[in-house]
Amino acid sequence: MQIQSKALPQSSFLRRAIRSLFAAGESSAETAHPLLVVSAVALFTLFVIVEVDLHSAQLQALGLLGHGMGIDPVFLSP
């Protein structure tokens, strides 16, 4: 009995999907559903928040996060 790899069908599916995205000469303009766009942006935002939270120590060491510094009192409300 021969064992088939699952990577080959997935790679061909990905290749077809990428090829369809960059297909030249396609006259009909396809747009994404607005709900799909909103959900993708929301998921991406959650992903960024989780990644920043997970790597906050490394980002602080690089100077990209300023948790050590407080908020300037000028910007605080009375």
Side-chain angles (χ1 to χ4, degrees):
M1 177 183 270
Q2 190 176 22
I3 299 173
Q4 294 182 349
S5 172
K6 292 183 180 181
L8 183 61
Q10 290 174 353
S11 67
S12 64
F13 172 73
L14 289 174
R15 214 176 303 127
R16 267 187 267 127
I18 292 172
R19 205 177 308 144
S20 70
L21 286 175
F22 297 111
E26 191 173 328
S27 61
S28 65
E30 296 181 14
T31 59
H33 193 276
L35 186 59
L36 178 65
V37 173
V38 169
S39 62
V41 168
L43 287 174
F44 180 73
T45 304
L46 288 174
F47 175 73
V48 168
I49 290 170
V50 168
E51 286 296 316
V52 167
D53 188 42
L54 285 174
H55 301 291
S56 61
Q58 291 94 355
L59 292 172
Q60 266 184 321
L62 291 173
L64 296 175
L65 288 180
H67 288 297
M69 297 177 281
I71 298 174
D72 191 2
V74 173
F75 299 115
L76 295 176
S77 63

